Amino acid sequence: MCAAPTPNSPPLAGGPSGPAALRPLLDTVLTALHDGAVTRGGPLPAGGPDAVAARLREALGEAIPDTGTGADAALHTLVHTLAAGAADPADPLCAAHLHTPPLALATAADLAASALNPSMDSWDQAPAASALEALVTQALAAQVYPRARPDAPLPDALVTTGGTEANQLALLLARERHGAVQTVVGANAHHSFHRATWLLGLPEPVTVPTPNGTLDPVALDEALTDLHGPLLVAATAGTTDTGSIDPLPAIADLCAAHGADLHIDAAYGGPLLFSDTHRTLLTGLDRARTVTLDLHKLGWQPVAAGLLAVRDAADLTALTHTADYLNADDDTEAGLPDLLGRSLRTTRRPDILKTAVTLRALGRTGLGALVDQCCRLAQHLADLVDKAPGLELYERPTLTTVLFRPTDADDNAVAAIRRRLLTEGRAVLGRAHEDGRLWLKATLLNPHAGPGDLDTLITLVEGGTDR
């Protein structure tokens, strides 16, 4: 017979008593997050990697001590240290990557997911979460693939850890349809396609030049004409370096003419679907057989919130898998939903909850307004660069990415500017090689940023701020 829990057993997060146990711990966490941000005092900690690692080592002490410090001390010390040493995407000057500041309500929903801890690999571990995932993924798939007629295939979407997993799944589904499919990508495509072909034992992708930053239909037509066997073209709607969008309708026409499947990596640009102003940039998206989306980019979700949308849910039967302890045939025949075919992973979090809460709270128009605001910020920053005599703009932004550089600087000087700002903790800017030169990259994903923040960013790059 099992012994009763000892009076000193750490409390659990779930059950009727879980919220009472969590409440004081959350107060500790929130205080530590606030104090850590104040300690940091900017978009990232000053001092560079060695200084950050030294502060972390000092705070951590012995990683696995014989005797613990207790919950409150451990939480406050490590959360404070992590916050003080974070690159905070909520700071307007943290603008290097496709790394958004998550919405507070999405983060709160993510806490509930952690407390309840459903595992999305069998219905008896996630009864409500599995139903929620089915409803919300179908609704998101319908945004990508609006059904023009009642007899059109039913679309669907799978939850992934992000764009890399979604792109890999798309290639896996193509392989299961066609065998050793040849992938064709632009030089602007995400690096995950090369890794996916390696992992899946597929031929190395054929790379088509993109001299203007987007996939050239003429060059793609020539490549497809020269290739034989099953083909999959991977286009991009929002490149990581410039935010550019390939000419999707022309690419879809070429795929139809050559009998190639089309996948579109819209990990960055996909949420333009929520914007009445910008959704036309995605014209042709619904002609792809599969589409990658990523709502921890232009969707303001905590990591992870990726999706792979499929035009025809029947394509997902290739993922069917049986493990008797999770989806026995007689359970499935009796009506228990089979979840193993919804992912290559077994244990996985109910990441759909935070997205469902966000969609219900803000609606399509609310999310679209956030997208529009960040696009306006990018245009404003481009205007500022255009007006600055000592700066050069690469091109007008398509999404929220702006490339610029000091006019007379060489690549070494551009790289040094970025690293100096990082080391000083002043600003987080990315880098991109385009047109044979190195550019500073600002990826504007904070809808709370304002014109004054952009002025500060320009001043820091120009070197006018007193250091």
Side-chain angles (χ1 to χ4, degrees):
M1 185 174 181
C2 286
T6 66
N8 293 325
S9 293
L12 303 178
S17 62
L22 277 171
R23 199 175 306 277
L25 298 176
L26 290 181
D27 187 60
T28 298
V29 167
L30 297 176
T31 299
L33 285 172
H34 170 270
D35 294 348
V38 171
T39 299
R40 186 181 65 245
L44 81 167
D50 291 342
V52 173
R55 292 192 288 267
L56 193 285
R57 279 194 300 271
E58 181 180 1
L60 178 62
E62 190 175 356
I64 309 177
D66 286 338
T67 302
T69 62
D72 195 70
L75 265 178
H76 186 275
T77 298
L78 291 184
V79 173
H80 178 278
T81 305
L82 197 68
D88 185 2
D91 189 296
L93 300 183
C94 188
H97 301 288
L98 289 165
H99 178 200
T100 53
L103 296 169
L105 82 162
T107 304
D110 216 27
L111 168 64
S114 293
L116 294 168
N117 208 30
S119 183
M120 304 293 292
D121 50 310
S122 66
W123 181 87
D124 58 348
Q125 298 177 82
S130 61
L132 181 68
E133 182 178 90
L135 292 169
V136 177
T137 52
Q138 289 165 12
L140 287 166
Q143 292 290 313
V144 180
Y145 297 109
R147 297 178 75 202
R149 58 183 198 279
D151 61 340
L154 282 172
D156 202 352
L158 301 181
V159 176
T160 71
T161 54
T164 293
E165 183 188 351
N167 287 338
Q168 182 183 337
L169 269 175
L171 267 62
L172 173 63
L173 294 176
R175 188 192 71 179
E176 295 307 291
R177 289 193 301 270
H178 301 300
V181 64
Q182 174 65 66
T183 305
V184 182
V185 302
N188 61 352
H190 194 260
H191 64 83
S192 58
F193 290 107
H194 293 269
R195 299 191 77 184
T197 57
W198 169 64
L199 285 166
L200 295 169
L202 294 173
E204 178 75 10
V206 171
T207 301
V208 177
T210 53
N212 297 314
T214 57
L215 198 52
D216 176 26
V218 174
L220 178 61
D221 188 23
E222 293 173 354
L224 294 177
T225 300
D226 292 339
L227 293 169
H228 303 285
L231 301 172
L232 173 71
V233 174
T236 306
T239 60
T240 54
D241 276 351
T242 66
S244 299
I245 296 175
D246 288 337
L248 304 181
I251 292 170
D253 288 344
L254 286 172
C255 288
H258 288 277
D261 281 356
L262 174 60
H263 169 70
I264 297 177
D265 178 3
Y268 181 8
L272 293 183
L273 288 169
F274 299 121
S275 166
D276 291 336
T277 303
H278 295 96
R279 64 183 296 127
T280 54
L281 291 171
L282 296 181
T283 298
L285 190 72
D286 60 341
R287 296 178 64 184
R289 189 151 188 170
T290 51
V291 173
T292 288
L293 302 171
D294 200 344
L295 296 178
H296 58 246
K297 295 184 170 65
L298 270 179
W300 297 279
Q301 300 298 291
V303 173
L307 294 156
L308 177 71
V310 296
R311 187 172 57 204
D312 186 348
D315 283 353
L316 298 179
T317 57
L319 301 178
T320 300
H321 180 69
T322 301
D324 194 61
Y325 75 105
L326 294 174
N327 62 343
D329 289 342
D330 58 319
D331 277 350
T332 302
E333 291 166 3
L336 295 185
D338 178 359
L339 304 185
L340 274 188
R342 303 292 300 175
S343 178
L344 293 180
R345 294 170 285 149
T346 303
T347 303
R348 59 187 180 90
R349 300 181 75 249
D351 285 317
I352 202 65
L353 175 60
K354 59 201 174 193
T355 299
V357 169
T358 301
L359 292 169
R360 184 169 175 81
L362 300 184
R364 186 180 65 81
T365 56
L367 270 176
L370 296 178
V371 171
D372 292 346
Q373 172 62 8
C374 289
C375 289
R376 283 193 295 269
L377 284 169
Q379 295 296 332
H380 184 71
L381 179 58
D383 290 340
L384 293 177
V385 173
D386 264 340
K387 294 173 184 176
L391 296 178
E392 178 182 357
L393 181 69
Y394 173 67
E395 64 181 9
R396 300 299 303 187
T398 302
L399 296 177
T400 68
T401 298
V402 181
L403 300 189
F404 63 106
R405 53 179 283 145
T407 304
D408 297 326
D410 61 18
D411 286 358
N412 289 333
V414 172
I417 289 170
R418 174 179 175 272
R419 287 192 292 269
R420 185 185 69 242
L421 294 175
L422 289 175
T423 302
E424 294 174 352
R426 296 296 190 96
V428 189
L429 288 170
R431 53 185 288 162
H433 273 99
E434 294 292 336
D435 196 25
R437 293 186 291 168
L438 182 65
W439 300 81
L440 297 171
K441 178 173 70 170
T443 308
L444 302 177
L445 298 173
N446 186 341
H448 289 207
D453 299 309
L454 303 183
D455 289 338
T456 299
L457 193 62
I458 291 293
T459 300
L460 287 170
V461 171
E462 288 179 323
T465 296
D466 181 18
R467 293 186 179 86

